[in-house]
């Protein structure tokens, strides 16, 4: 594979290459550049040149072009799905392309309706108004869990607001971001959307580069700290969508069947490789045994398998490191914790992991405090509403949470107390494009999706005219 810069595929000269591995088989199927400083510089310069023209387009002109990009993605659906399946092994890959199209369409329109203060005479004899302007070149760093959807989710608001983009997909999943850029380049001017391949080192070069005005990362907390620290040296604007440790708070009056269904889908979809996975169940003591038995029975019917296996709910973990990480959590469980089901790799090829339930965990256990990012559900009990909220909020993460109850007043009370950027009530893993997605605490700052996500890519300028 090659970088996509200035409207064309480019060999990233002087760059090393790294292997691309099929997570279904564990076999290498290609290579991609580990882009060098020179390759990053070429992409930044291309984006900076393109910005001069792109910023001068009207929102309506950009909307028309981005809507065409969304249509073009849809017309290339089979190619995109094939590429996504190859690099993720997940049949859910097919859903990502319509989602990407929806995000492009939303932001294309939203950029025509930016909000702000009314112009007026806030000082005698002077008229003030506010301009919302694009930032410039945006460096964007994406993870591997939904590669195509992430490429659109990151770039669409930036482009719609009049910025140009240098996007770096994760090292293991560059294919669909590259294809996206190639498809978009038939419609957008050269340099507006550039994609460079590589891993952490290339990412750091992007953050250090003098051209970008802003950096947006979706990734782990450790990466977020590094990106924010590096960006601070040149005071770049930073937006961080980082890891989560999502509590699923189940009260004794919850609808058991709906809750079990919500947990299984929310925890196991995409092999649990979701920053909001329903992975940390906190359940009222009275319901604990019944819920655990129902989850165990539900998991017994769940299979993992490759994209050709229609009976499989989810596919492989994305890479060998992730398989080792998820296995490591189970191997280092404290004695008091109990693996109810699963806890092991499935097969010897690829990176499949069995659906897993771990019970009797305690608040300070590593499985209770760190993001696992695999098909693993932990179950812990609470006695009172107050304890439920305290346990839920006890982690450093603050991305998403869910509450399961039929008591409306309790749902309202607990939603206000939970220290998370999203609270779902009697549902989980829902992301309408109109609603903001983003965390508190160590899950980062800033929002993706929604008009708030669009505003991340604008700056506010006060202009004042004296007329008397
Ligand atoms: P990661 O942090 O390793 O990498 C994310 C991106 O940053 C990649 O493109 C990577 O190459 C790049 N990168 C890594 N280190 C860097 C550095 N020091 N400087 C600059 N760039 C660097 O994450 P991952 O393993 O690809 O993805 C999994 C993580 O992403 C999980 O923690 C998950 O929770 C998080 N995630 C968060 C959200 C969200 O919306 N909050 C969504 C999906 C995934």
């Amino acid at each position: 594979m090659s970088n996509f810069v200035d409207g064309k595929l480019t060999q990233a000269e002087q760059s090393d290459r790294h292997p691309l591995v099929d997570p279904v088989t564990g076999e290498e199927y290609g290579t991609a550049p580990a882009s060098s400083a020179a390759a990053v510089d070429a992409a930044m310069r291309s984006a900076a040149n393109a910005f001069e023209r792109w910023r001068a387009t009207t929102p309506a002109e950009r909307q028309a072009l981005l809507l065409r990009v969304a249509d073009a993605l849809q017309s290339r659906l089979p190619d995109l799905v094939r590429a996504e399946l190859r690099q993720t092994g997940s049949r859910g890959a097919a859903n990502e392309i319509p989602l990407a199209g929806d995000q492009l369409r939303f932001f294309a329109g939203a950029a025509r309706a930016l909000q702000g203060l009314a112009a007026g005479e806030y000082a005698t004899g002077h008229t003030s108004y506010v301009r919302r302007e694009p930032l410039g070149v945006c460096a964007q760093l994406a993870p591997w869990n939904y590669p195509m959807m992430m490429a659109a989710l990151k770039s669409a608001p930036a482009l719609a607001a009049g910025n140009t983009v240098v996007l770096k997909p994760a090292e293991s999943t560059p294919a669909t971001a590259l294809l996206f850029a190639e498809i978009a380049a038939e419609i957008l001017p050269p340099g507006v959307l550039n994609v460079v391949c590589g891993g952490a080192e290339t990412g750091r070069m992007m953050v250090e580069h003098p051209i970008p005005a802003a950096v947006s990362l979706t990734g782990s907390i450790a990466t977020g700290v590094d990106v924010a620290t590096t960006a601070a040296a040149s005071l770049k604007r930073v937006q961080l969508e980082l890891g989560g440790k999502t509590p699923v708070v189940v009260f004794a009056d919850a609808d058991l069947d709906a809750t079990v269904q919500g947990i299984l889908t929310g925890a196991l979809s995409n092999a649990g490789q979701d920053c909001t996975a329903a992975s940390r169940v906190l359940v009222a003591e009275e319901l604990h045994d019944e819920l655990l038995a129902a989850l165990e029975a539900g998991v017994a019917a769940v299979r993992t398998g490759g994209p050709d296996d229609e009976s499989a709910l989810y596919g492989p973990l994305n890479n060998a490191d992730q398989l080792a990480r998820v296995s490591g959590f189970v191997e280092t469980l404290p004695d008091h914790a109990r693996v109810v089901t699963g806890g092991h790799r499935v097969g010897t090829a690829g990176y499949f992991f069995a659906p897993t339930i771990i019970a009797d965990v305690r608040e300070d256990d590593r499985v209770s405090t760190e993001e696992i990012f695999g098909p693993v559900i932990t179950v812990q009990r609470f006695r009172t509403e107050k304890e439920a909220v305290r346990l839920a909020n006890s982690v450093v993460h603050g991305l998403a949470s869910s509450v399961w109850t039929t008591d409306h007043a309790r749902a309202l009370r607990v939603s206000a107390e939970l220290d998370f950027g999203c609270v779902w009530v009697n549902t989980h893993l829902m992301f309408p494009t109109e609603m903001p997605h983003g965390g508190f605490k160590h899950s980062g700052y800033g929002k993706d999706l929604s008009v708030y996500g669009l505003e991340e890519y604008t700056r506010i300028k006060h202009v004042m005219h004296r007329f008397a």
Side-chain angles (χ1 to χ4, degrees):
M1 281 173 207
S2 312
N3 289 348
F4 195 91
V5 173
D6 211 27
K8 52 192 179 297
L9 288 167
T10 59
Q11 288 311 322
E13 290 87 1
Q14 296 145 25
S15 296
D16 294 336
R17 299 188 73 80
H18 63 79
L20 298 171
V21 175
D22 183 339
V24 174
T25 61
E27 284 168 15
E28 190 178 321
Y29 65 88
T31 64
S35 297
S36 62
V40 167
D41 186 58
M44 294 298 173
R45 285 177 192 282
S46 160
N49 286 338
F51 179 63
E52 293 312 315
R53 297 183 304 279
W54 188 244
R55 71 192 297 198
T57 54
T58 65
E61 287 166 342
R62 293 196 293 275
Q63 180 192 36
L65 294 174
L66 292 173
L67 290 177
R68 282 176 56 202
V69 173
D71 290 344
L73 290 186
Q74 195 58 32
S75 71
R76 295 284 297 275
L77 189 71
D79 297 337
L80 285 160
V81 172
R82 203 174 309 115
E84 195 75 331
L85 281 178
R86 184 33 115 46
Q87 61 184 5
T88 64
S90 163
R91 274 193 298 133
N95 302 330
E96 286 184 55
I97 290 86
L99 269 175
D102 184 58
Q103 289 159 4
L104 280 159
R105 291 189 175 95
F106 171 78
F107 286 112
R112 297 184 67 179
L114 284 169
Q115 302 291 313
L117 286 173
E121 288 65 53
Y122 298 97
T124 306
H126 295 74
T127 297
S128 288
Y129 62 93
V130 162
R131 293 173 51 84
R132 262 194 189 276
E133 300 178 340
L135 304 173
V137 174
C138 298
Q140 303 188 317
L141 305 161
W144 41 253
N145 56 342
Y146 301 105
M148 175 63 217
M149 199 265 290
M150 284 290 168
L153 176 145
K154 290 265 149 218
S155 61
L159 298 175
N163 305 277
T164 55
V165 165
V166 178
L167 170 76
K168 193 191 79 55
E171 197 171 28
S172 59
T173 55
T176 38
L178 287 167
L179 195 47
F180 169 41
E182 226 179 305
I183 293 167
E186 289 165 20
I187 296 154
L188 303 178
V192 167
L193 174 61
N194 307 277
V195 174
V196 295
C197 302
E201 213 180 318
T202 302
R204 198 173 292 117
M205 290 170 193
M206 290 169 62
V207 181
E208 284 168 347
H209 197 281
I211 286 182
V215 180
S216 172
L217 163 75
T218 296
S220 66
I221 293 174
T223 303
V225 170
D226 196 52
V227 164
T229 307
T230 307
S234 49
L235 294 173
K236 290 184 176 73
R237 191 190 275 207
V238 177
Q239 184 227 357
L240 301 172
E241 296 292 337
L242 308 177
K245 187 72 184 170
T246 303
V248 179
V249 185
V250 185
F251 287 96
D253 58 11
D255 174 335
L256 189 66
D257 289 346
T259 307
V260 168
Q261 198 47 52
I263 294 172
L264 293 178
T265 312
L268 302 177
S269 299
N270 207 33
Q273 299 170 116
D274 191 297
C275 49
T276 62
S279 56
R280 189 165 68 109
V281 175
L282 305 173
V283 55
E285 187 137 72
E286 310 89 286
L287 192 65
H288 175 273
D289 293 355
E290 208 181 335
L291 180 74
L292 191 56
L295 285 173
E296 190 180 354
V299 161
V302 171
R303 283 172 39 75
T304 175
D308 298 333
D309 182 350
E310 298 215 344
S311 66
L313 176 69
Y314 66 89
L317 295 167
N318 182 255
N319 52 65
D321 287 351
Q322 192 58 20
L323 177 62
R325 182 175 156 77
V326 174
S327 306
F329 274 100
V330 180
E331 285 154 14
T332 57
L333 279 178
D335 289 343
H336 58 254
R338 178 166 59 95
V339 177
V340 176
T341 180
H344 54 82
R345 183 180 182 181
V346 175
T348 51
Y351 310 127
F352 296 92
F353 200 84
T356 298
I357 300 176
I358 303 172
D360 301 334
V361 300
R362 294 184 190 159
E363 185 178 349
D364 295 333
D365 294 345
R366 201 174 145 234
V367 279
S368 307
T369 58
E370 288 184 27
E371 182 177 45
I372 301 173
F373 226 54
V376 179
I377 302 166
T378 62
V379 182
Q380 194 181 344
R381 49 187 107 210
F382 64 79
R383 281 178 293 279
T384 62
E385 181 180 309
K386 195 169 169 205
E387 187 186 17
V389 170
R390 189 191 63 72
L391 283 173
N393 288 342
S394 66
V395 289
V396 297
H397 314 74
L399 188 59
S401 55
S402 65
V403 182
W404 298 80
T405 179
T406 48
D407 179 341
H408 188 63
R410 169 178 275 156
L412 285 170
R413 263 193 323 270
V414 173
S415 302
E417 292 299 319
L418 287 172
D419 210 0
F420 295 84
C422 171
V423 181
W424 287 296
V425 179
N426 295 328
T427 188
H428 203 106
L429 220 62
M430 300 291 290
F431 300 96
T433 306
E434 295 82 352
M435 286 293 119
H437 169 66
F440 304 149
K441 295 163 45 181
H442 288 202
S443 293
Y445 38 79
K447 297 292 174 192
D448 277 333
L449 303 179
S450 79
V451 289
Y452 304 106
L454 185 62
E455 288 175 1
E456 298 281 340
Y457 291 98
T458 67
R459 62 183 192 182
I460 292 169
K461 181 186 281 178
H462 169 210
V463 183
M464 184 183 240
H465 292 230
R466 183 162 67 88
F467 60 84

Coordinates of all heavy atoms in Angstrom, one line a residue, residues 141-146 150 168-171 198-205 207 217-224 226-227 230 240-244 273-275 322 371 373 399 437-439 443 448, ligand 1:
L141 N -5.5 11.2 14.1 CA -4.9 9.9 14.4 C -6.0 8.9 14.7 O -6.8 9.2 15.7 CB -3.9 10.0 15.5 CG -2.8 11.0 15.3 CD1 -2.1 11.4 16.7 CD2 -1.7 10.5 14.4
A142 N -6.1 7.8 14.0 CA -7.3 7.0 14.2 C -6.9 5.6 14.7 O -5.7 5.1 14.5 CB -8.0 6.8 12.9
P143 N -7.8 4.9 15.4 CA -7.5 3.5 15.9 C -7.9 2.4 14.9 O -8.4 2.8 13.8 CB -8.3 3.5 17.2 CG -9.5 4.2 16.8 CD -9.1 5.3 15.8
W144 N -7.8 1.2 15.3 CA -8.0 0.1 14.4 C -9.4 -0.6 14.6 O -9.7 -1.5 13.9 CB -6.9 -1.0 14.5 CG -6.5 -1.3 15.9 CD1 -5.3 -1.0 16.4 CD2 -7.1 -2.1 16.9 NE1 -5.2 -1.4 17.7 CE2 -6.3 -2.1 18.0 CE3 -8.4 -2.7 16.9 CZ2 -6.7 -2.8 19.2 CZ3 -8.7 -3.4 18.1 CH2 -7.9 -3.4 19.2
N145 N -10.2 -0.1 15.5 CA -11.4 -0.9 15.8 C -12.5 -0.8 14.8 O -13.2 -1.7 14.6 CB -11.9 -0.7 17.3 CG -12.1 0.7 17.6 OD1 -11.7 1.6 16.9 ND2 -12.9 0.9 18.7
Y146 N -12.7 0.4 14.3 CA -13.7 0.6 13.1 C -13.0 1.5 12.1 O -13.3 2.7 12.0 CB -15.0 1.3 13.6 CG -15.7 0.6 14.7 CD1 -15.6 1.1 16.0 CD2 -16.5 -0.5 14.5 CE1 -16.3 0.5 17.1 CE2 -17.2 -1.1 15.5 CZ -17.1 -0.6 16.8 OH -17.8 -1.3 17.8
M150 N -14.1 5.3 11.4 CA -13.2 6.3 12.1 C -12.7 7.4 11.1 O -12.5 8.5 11.4 CB -12.1 5.7 12.8 CG -12.5 5.0 14.1 SD -12.9 6.2 15.4 CE -13.7 5.1 16.6
K168 N -4.0 9.8 9.7 CA -3.2 8.6 9.8 C -4.0 7.4 10.5 O -4.4 7.5 11.6 CB -2.0 8.8 10.7 CG -1.0 7.6 10.6 CD 0.1 7.6 11.6 CE -0.3 7.1 12.9 NZ -0.9 5.7 12.8
P169 N -4.4 6.4 9.6 CA -5.1 5.3 10.2 C -4.1 4.5 11.1 O -2.9 4.7 11.1 CB -5.5 4.5 9.0 CG -4.6 4.9 7.9 CD -4.1 6.3 8.2
A170 N -4.6 3.5 11.8 CA -3.8 2.7 12.7 C -2.9 1.9 11.8 O -3.2 1.6 10.6 CB -4.6 1.8 13.6
E171 N -1.7 1.5 12.3 CA -0.7 0.8 11.6 C -1.3 -0.5 10.9 O -0.9 -0.9 9.8 CB 0.4 0.4 12.6 CG 1.7 0.0 12.0 CD 2.7 -0.2 13.1 OE1 2.4 -0.5 14.2 OE2 3.9 0.1 12.8
G198 N 1.5 4.4 8.9 CA 2.5 4.3 9.9 C 2.0 4.1 11.3 O 0.8 4.1 11.5
G199 N 2.9 4.0 12.2 CA 2.5 3.7 13.6 C 2.7 4.9 14.5 O 2.7 6.1 14.0
A200 N 3.1 4.6 15.7 CA 3.2 5.7 16.7 C 4.3 6.7 16.3 O 4.1 7.9 16.5 CB 3.6 5.0 18.1
E201 N 5.4 6.2 15.7 CA 6.5 7.1 15.4 C 6.0 8.2 14.4 O 6.3 9.4 14.5 CB 7.6 6.3 14.9 CG 9.0 6.9 15.2 CD 10.1 6.0 14.6 OE1 10.0 4.8 14.7 OE2 11.0 6.6 14.1
T202 N 5.3 7.7 13.3 CA 4.8 8.6 12.3 C 3.8 9.5 12.9 O 3.7 10.7 12.6 CB 4.1 7.8 11.2 OG1 5.1 6.9 10.6 CG2 3.6 8.7 10.1
G203 N 2.9 9.0 13.8 CA 1.9 9.8 14.5 C 2.6 11.0 15.3 O 2.2 12.1 15.2
R204 N 3.7 10.6 16.0 CA 4.4 11.7 16.7 C 5.0 12.7 15.8 O 4.9 13.9 16.1 CB 5.4 11.0 17.6 CG 5.9 12.0 18.8 CD 6.8 11.3 19.8 NE 6.2 10.3 20.6 CZ 6.6 9.0 20.6 NH1 7.6 8.6 19.8 NH2 6.0 8.2 21.4
M205 N 5.5 12.3 14.7 CA 6.0 13.3 13.7 C 4.9 14.3 13.3 O 5.1 15.4 13.0 CB 6.6 12.6 12.5 CG 7.8 11.8 12.7 SD 8.2 10.8 11.2 CE 9.4 9.7 11.8
V207 N 2.3 15.2 15.0 CA 2.0 16.1 16.1 C 3.0 17.1 16.3 O 2.8 18.3 16.6 CB 1.8 15.3 17.4 CG1 1.4 16.2 18.6 CG2 0.7 14.2 17.3
L217 N -7.2 12.9 18.2 CA -6.8 11.5 18.3 C -8.0 10.7 18.8 O -8.7 11.1 19.8 CB -5.7 11.4 19.4 CG -5.5 10.0 20.0 CD1 -4.8 9.1 19.0 CD2 -4.6 10.1 21.3
T218 N -8.2 9.5 18.3 CA -9.0 8.5 18.9 C -8.1 7.4 19.2 O -7.5 6.8 18.3 CB -10.2 8.0 18.0 OG1 -11.0 9.1 17.8 CG2 -11.0 6.9 18.7
G219 N -7.9 7.1 20.5 CA -6.9 6.0 20.8 C -6.8 5.8 22.3 O -7.8 6.1 23.0
S220 N -5.8 5.2 22.8 CA -5.7 4.8 24.2 C -5.3 6.1 25.1 O -4.8 7.1 24.6 CB -4.6 3.8 24.4 OG -3.3 4.3 24.1
I221 N -5.5 5.9 26.4 CA -5.1 7.0 27.3 C -3.7 7.3 27.2 O -3.3 8.5 27.2 CB -5.6 6.6 28.7 CG1 -7.1 6.5 28.8 CG2 -5.0 7.6 29.8 CD1 -7.6 5.9 30.1
A222 N -2.8 6.3 27.2 CA -1.4 6.5 27.2 C -1.0 7.3 25.9 O -0.2 8.3 26.0 CB -0.6 5.2 27.1
T223 N -1.6 7.0 24.8 CA -1.3 7.8 23.6 C -1.8 9.2 23.7 O -1.2 10.2 23.3 CB -2.0 7.1 22.3 OG1 -1.5 5.8 22.3 CG2 -1.7 7.8 21.1
G224 N -3.0 9.3 24.4 CA -3.6 10.7 24.6 C -2.6 11.6 25.4 O -2.4 12.7 25.1
D226 N 0.6 11.2 25.6 CA 1.8 11.5 24.8 C 1.5 12.6 23.8 O 2.2 13.6 23.6 CB 2.3 10.3 24.1 CG 3.7 10.4 23.6 OD1 4.6 10.9 24.4 OD2 3.9 10.2 22.4
V227 N 0.3 12.5 23.1 CA -0.1 13.4 22.1 C -0.3 14.8 22.7 O 0.2 15.8 22.2 CB -1.4 13.0 21.3 CG1 -2.0 14.1 20.6 CG2 -1.0 11.8 20.4
T230 N 3.2 16.3 23.6 CA 3.9 16.7 22.4 C 3.3 18.0 21.8 O 4.0 18.9 21.5 CB 3.9 15.6 21.4 OG1 4.4 14.4 22.0 CG2 4.8 15.9 20.2
L240 N -9.3 14.8 22.2 CA -8.9 13.4 22.5 C -10.1 12.6 22.8 O -10.9 12.9 23.7 CB -8.0 13.5 23.8 CG -6.7 14.3 23.7 CD1 -6.0 14.4 25.1 CD2 -5.7 13.6 22.7
E241 N -10.3 11.5 22.1 CA -11.3 10.5 22.3 C -10.6 9.3 22.8 O -10.1 8.5 21.9 CB -12.1 10.2 21.1 CG -12.9 11.4 20.5 CD -14.0 11.7 21.4 OE1 -14.5 10.9 22.2 OE2 -14.5 12.9 21.4
L242 N -10.5 9.0 24.1 CA -9.6 8.0 24.6 C -10.4 6.8 25.1 O -11.6 6.6 24.9 CB -8.7 8.6 25.6 CG -8.0 9.8 25.1 CD1 -7.1 10.4 26.2 CD2 -7.1 9.5 23.9
G243 N -9.7 5.9 25.8 CA -10.3 4.7 26.2 C -11.5 4.8 27.2 O -11.7 5.9 27.8
G244 N -12.2 3.7 27.4 CA -13.3 3.8 28.4 C -13.3 2.5 29.2 O -12.6 1.6 29.0
Q273 N -14.2 -4.8 21.0 CA -13.2 -3.8 20.7 C -13.9 -2.5 20.4 O -14.0 -2.0 19.3 CB -12.3 -4.2 19.5 CG -11.6 -5.5 19.8 CD -11.0 -6.1 18.5 OE1 -9.8 -6.2 18.4 NE2 -11.8 -6.5 17.6
D274 N -14.5 -2.0 21.5 CA -15.3 -0.8 21.4 C -15.0 0.0 22.7 O -15.1 -0.6 23.8 CB -16.8 -1.1 21.2 CG -17.6 0.1 20.9 OD1 -17.6 1.1 21.7 OD2 -18.2 0.1 19.8
C275 N -14.7 1.3 22.5 CA -14.4 2.1 23.7 C -15.5 2.2 24.7 O -15.4 2.6 25.8 CB -13.9 3.4 23.3 SG -15.0 4.2 22.1
Q322 N -3.1 -7.5 20.7 CA -4.4 -7.4 21.4 C -4.8 -8.7 22.0 O -5.3 -8.8 23.1 CB -5.4 -6.8 20.4 CG -6.7 -6.4 21.1 CD -6.5 -5.3 22.2 OE1 -5.5 -4.6 22.1 NE2 -7.4 -5.2 23.1
E371 N -9.2 -0.8 30.8 CA -9.9 -1.2 29.6 C -9.3 -2.5 29.1 O -8.1 -2.6 28.9 CB -9.8 -0.1 28.6 CG -10.5 -0.4 27.3 CD -10.4 0.8 26.4 OE1 -9.3 1.3 26.2 OE2 -11.5 1.2 25.8
F373 N -10.8 -4.2 26.1 CA -10.9 -4.1 24.7 C -11.0 -5.5 24.1 O -10.3 -5.8 23.1 CB -9.8 -3.3 24.1 CG -10.3 -2.3 23.1 CD1 -11.2 -1.3 23.4 CD2 -9.7 -2.2 21.8 CE1 -11.7 -0.4 22.5 CE2 -10.1 -1.2 20.9 CZ -11.1 -0.3 21.3
L399 N -16.1 7.8 29.7 CA -16.6 7.9 28.4 C -18.1 7.6 28.3 O -18.9 8.5 27.9 CB -15.8 6.9 27.5 CG -16.1 7.0 26.0 CD1 -15.8 8.4 25.5 CD2 -15.3 6.0 25.2
H437 N -20.3 12.6 21.0 CA -19.6 11.4 21.6 C -18.3 11.9 22.1 O -17.5 12.4 21.3 CB -19.5 10.3 20.5 CG -18.5 9.2 20.9 ND1 -18.8 8.3 21.9 CD2 -17.3 8.9 20.5 CE1 -17.8 7.5 22.1 NE2 -16.9 7.8 21.2
G438 N -18.0 11.7 23.4 CA -16.8 12.1 23.9 C -16.8 12.0 25.4 O -17.9 12.0 26.0
G439 N -15.6 11.9 26.0 CA -15.6 11.5 27.4 C -15.2 12.6 28.4 O -14.9 13.8 28.0
S443 N -10.8 9.8 29.8 CA -11.3 9.4 28.5 C -11.1 10.6 27.5 O -11.5 10.5 26.3 CB -12.7 9.0 28.6 OG -12.8 7.8 29.3
D448 N -16.7 14.2 19.4 CA -16.9 13.7 18.0 C -18.4 13.8 17.7 O -19.2 13.8 18.7 CB -16.4 12.3 17.8 CG -14.9 12.3 17.5 OD1 -14.3 13.3 17.0 OD2 -14.3 11.2 17.8
Ligands
LIG1 P1 -3.5 3.7 20.1 O1 -3.6 4.8 21.1 O2 -2.4 2.7 20.1 O3 -3.4 4.3 18.6 C1 -4.3 5.3 18.1 C2 -3.6 6.0 16.9 O4 -2.6 6.9 17.5 C3 -3.0 5.1 15.9 O5 -3.1 5.7 14.6 C4 -1.5 5.1 16.4 O6 -0.6 4.8 15.4 C5 -1.3 6.5 16.9 N1 -0.3 6.7 17.9 C6 0.0 5.8 18.9 N2 1.0 6.3 19.7 C7 1.2 7.6 19.3 C8 2.0 8.6 19.7 N3 2.8 8.5 20.8 N4 1.9 9.8 19.1 C9 1.1 10.0 18.0 N5 0.4 9.0 17.5 C10 0.4 7.8 18.1 O7 -4.9 3.0 20.0 P2 -5.4 1.7 19.3 O8 -4.7 0.5 19.9 O9 -5.2 1.8 17.8 O10 -6.9 1.7 19.6 C11 -7.4 1.2 20.8 C12 -7.7 2.3 21.7 O11 -8.5 3.3 21.2 C13 -8.4 1.9 23.0 O12 -7.9 2.4 24.1 C14 -9.8 2.4 22.8 O13 -10.6 2.7 23.9 C15 -9.5 3.7 22.0 N6 -10.7 4.1 21.3 C16 -11.4 5.2 21.8 C17 -12.6 5.6 21.2 C18 -13.4 6.8 21.6 O14 -14.2 7.3 20.9 N7 -13.1 7.3 22.8 C19 -13.0 4.9 20.0 C20 -12.3 3.8 19.6 C21 -11.1 3.4 20.3

